Amino acid sequence: MNTILRLPKVLQERGRSRSAHYLDIQQGLFTRPVLIGQRAVGWPAHEVHTLNAARIAGKPDDEIRILVAQLEADRKAAT
């Protein structure tokens, strides 16, 4: 099942503030949101969990950026 998490849940799962979350996106350390409505965005739950697991495993930022790029590429391949 593909679940999309809204921002409050993503922030709760990550333990990050809103500004830190969007800074991570700008720096390539977290995936960009997907549109789920005209003014609504969310993140695939599996991406949130995968990136959290990489952080817990102590992956360096360079490896996280590669993982983010792969996750975003996988989105395009799934369509």
Side-chain angles (χ1 to χ4, degrees):
M1 182 159 110
N2 295 324
T3 304
I4 296 176
L5 304 177
R6 297 293 305 272
L7 183 61
K9 183 68 173 168
V10 173
L11 297 179
Q12 179 184 5
E13 294 275 329
R14 296 191 67 212
R16 302 281 280 167
S17 69
R18 179 185 174 99
S19 59
H21 175 70
Y22 280 104
L23 182 61
D24 286 347
I25 293 170
Q26 284 181 334
Q27 294 176 346
L29 298 172
F30 207 81
T31 55
R32 291 172 290 179
V34 295
L35 286 174
I36 57 175
Q38 287 184 352
R39 296 181 58 197
V41 297
W43 286 262
H46 75 277
E47 292 181 4
V48 175
H49 298 166
T50 299
L51 290 166
N52 281 345
R55 280 285 172 206
I56 291 167
K59 303 281 184 187
D61 285 353
D62 290 341
E63 287 185 34
I64 300 284
R65 284 185 182 96
I66 292 167
L67 179 57
V68 166
Q70 183 60 52
L71 288 169
E72 290 184 347
D74 290 349
R75 287 181 186 176
K76 293 176 182 161
T79 57

